[in-house]
């Protein structure tokens, strides 16, 4: 899980540096006018800064637990660089729908690794749908969590009543599933078999 730990280390370091240096924070965050004037790096760098310690901790702890498993699964197929690119692409892919929706909104900003973390989490759920996740210390089957997560994210995205980019969570989750199915199409059959096994 070398790549997972490296990504966590870089994300923590960049977040801490950005909190200390507001100019750096402003240069890295996703901001539509910045992207429009050619600052394309914001589509990626926003995933390495976080709003506060709780935001950073939640994302990195989640990524640690599921990233270490997915790294072991993916590295034999695509190598360590491929796994790193899967994560980095998750940051970008997750923000694209947001960018299309808010590209003319000068007041909109977004940050955090949640889109990429969602990609890793849903890639894991595709492999082990009935594994147990601890959600606020409560054991929940992964597939039940996935359904609830998607349903809540769709509802919350339509409400737009908080400062969380729920659309990025959904896009990231979709990226994780699509990537895995393109890499190994037989996973679709594996997922359906695993999903139906408890019912059989």
């Amino acid at each position: 899980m070398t790549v997972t730990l490296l990504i966590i280390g870089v994300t923590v370091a960049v977040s801490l540096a950005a909190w200390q240096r507001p100019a750096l924070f402003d240069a890295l965050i996703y901001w539509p006018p910045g992207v429009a004037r050619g600052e394309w790096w914001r589509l990626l760098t926003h995933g390495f800064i976080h709003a506060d310690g709780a935001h950073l901790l939640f994302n990195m702890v989640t990524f640690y637990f599921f990233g270490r498993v997915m790294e072991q699964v993916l590295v034999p197929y695509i190598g360590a660089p491929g796994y790193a690119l899967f994560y980095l692409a998750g940051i970008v892919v997750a923000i694209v729908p947001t960018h299309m929706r808010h590209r003319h909104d000068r007041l909109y900003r977004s940050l955090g690794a949640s889109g990429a973390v969602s990609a890793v989490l849903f890639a894991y759920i595709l492999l082990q749908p009935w594994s147990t996740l601890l959600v606020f210390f409560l054991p929940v089957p992964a597939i039940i969590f996935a359904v609830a997560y998607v349903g809540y994210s769709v509802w919350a995205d339509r409400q737009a009543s908080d400062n969380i980019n729920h659309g990025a969570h959904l896009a990231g989750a979709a990226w994780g599933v699509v990537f895995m199915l393109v890499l190994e199409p037989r996973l679709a059959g594996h997922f359906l078999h695993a999903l139906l096994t408890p019912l059989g």
Side-chain angles (χ1 to χ4, degrees):
M1 57 182 177
T2 304
V3 177
T4 299
L5 292 178
L6 178 61
I7 292 173
I8 290 173
V10 171
T11 303
V12 170
V14 173
S15 291
L16 291 175
W19 293 338
Q20 298 297 320
R21 298 171 56 190
L24 176 62
F25 189 94
D26 289 340
L28 299 180
I29 198 169
Y30 169 75
W31 181 51
V35 175
R37 65 189 183 207
E39 298 169 359
W40 293 99
W41 64 81
R42 293 177 182 271
L43 296 173
L44 176 65
T45 56
H46 76 277
F48 289 90
I49 58 175
H50 290 77
D52 52 38
H55 186 204
L56 175 63
L57 181 65
F58 180 81
N59 273 341
M60 292 302 98
V61 168
T62 303
F63 177 51
Y64 172 76
F65 282 111
F66 298 102
R68 61 180 181 170
V69 175
M70 293 312 303
E71 181 173 350
Q72 293 174 354
V73 170
L74 290 175
V75 166
Y77 283 87
I78 56 178
Y83 171 67
L85 286 174
F86 163 64
Y87 179 89
L88 296 175
I91 296 175
V92 177
V93 170
I95 202 66
V96 167
T98 297
H99 179 64
M100 298 305 296
R101 183 192 302 182
H102 295 282
R103 62 187 181 277
H104 301 303
D105 186 351
R106 296 186 59 83
L107 300 179
Y108 189 85
R109 292 177 176 236
S110 184
L111 77 170
S114 300
V117 173
S118 293
V120 173
L121 173 59
F122 273 71
Y124 171 88
I125 291 172
L126 187 65
L127 293 174
Q128 301 187 43
W130 289 108
S131 61
T132 300
L133 307 183
L134 288 179
V135 182
F136 300 110
F137 303 104
L138 297 175
V140 178
I143 189 62
I144 301 301
F145 170 81
V147 171
Y149 182 90
V150 170
Y152 172 75
S153 294
V154 170
W155 176 82
D157 188 54
R158 290 177 177 174
Q159 297 297 311
S161 59
D162 55 28
N163 292 320
I164 299 173
N165 189 351
H166 297 282
H169 296 175
L170 290 168
W175 163 246
V177 171
V178 169
F179 177 86
M180 294 297 292
L181 291 177
V182 170
L183 182 65
E184 180 49 82
R186 289 177 297 179
L187 278 176
H190 163 82
F191 173 76
L192 290 175
H193 175 74
L195 195 62
L196 296 174
T197 297
L199 304 179

